[in-house]
C-alpha cells in the first residue's frame, strides 16, 4: 500500500472551479465559505476519488512497500498515475 509522504503540486480543483460548477455567487465575499470549500470540501472530494479509483490526482511523493521482488521482475505500484520512480530499496 502506498503512503503519501508529501504533496508536490497544487490542488487540481480550485475555488473558482467550484463556484462555476455549483452556480455560487462569484461576488460573494464570505471568507468562511471560501475557507470551508478550499480547506475541507476540495481535499475531501479529491481524497475520495483517489481512494475509490486508486489513482493519484494531486501530484505527490509516495512510498510503496513490496515484501519481495517477483521472480518476473515485473511489479505494479499500488497508486496509479505515477510518472516517475525515484528509487527502489531492497532489504
Amino acid at each position: 500500500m502506498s503512503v503519501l509522504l508529501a504533496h508536490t503540486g497544487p490542488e487540481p480543483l480550485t475555488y473558482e472551479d467550484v463556484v462555476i460548477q455549483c452556480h455560487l455567487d462569484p461576488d460573494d465575499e464570505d471568507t468562511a465559505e471560501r475557507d470551508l470549500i478550499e480547506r475541507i470540501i476540495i481535499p475531501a472530494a479529491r481524497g475520495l476519488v483517489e481512494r475509490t479509483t486508486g489513482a493519484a490526482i494531486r501530484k505527490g511523493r509516495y512510498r510503496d512497500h513490496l515484501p519481495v521482488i517477483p521472480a518476473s521482475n515485473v511489479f505494479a505500484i499500488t497508486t496509479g498515475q505515477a510518472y516517475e520512480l525515484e528509487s527502489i530499496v531492497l532489504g
Side-chain angles (χ1 to χ4, degrees), residues 46-82:
R46 177 194 34 80
L48 176 63
V49 171
E50 288 178 335
R51 282 187 301 280
T52 302
T53 64
I57 296 173
R58 184 175 179 186
K59 289 183 180 181
R61 294 188 67 206
Y62 294 83
R63 174 174 289 140
D64 210 339
H65 175 73
L66 298 172
V68 296
I69 299 291
S72 66
N73 289 329
V74 176
F75 57 90
I77 57 176
T78 55
T79 299
Q81 302 294 85

Side-chain angles (χ1 to χ4, degrees), residues 8-55:
T8 60
E11 284 287 355
L13 187 64
T14 66
Y15 173 76
E16 289 74 20
D17 296 330
V18 173
V19 166
I20 293 167
Q21 184 66 32
C22 296
H23 304 286
L24 302 176
D25 180 6
D27 298 323
D28 190 357
E29 296 291 329
D30 186 355
T31 56
E33 178 182 88
R34 182 181 183 119
D35 192 51
L36 174 71
I37 291 171
E38 288 180 334
R39 296 175 55 117
I40 306 295
I41 295 173
I42 291 173
R46 177 194 34 80
L48 176 63
V49 171
E50 288 178 335
R51 282 187 301 280
T52 302
T53 64

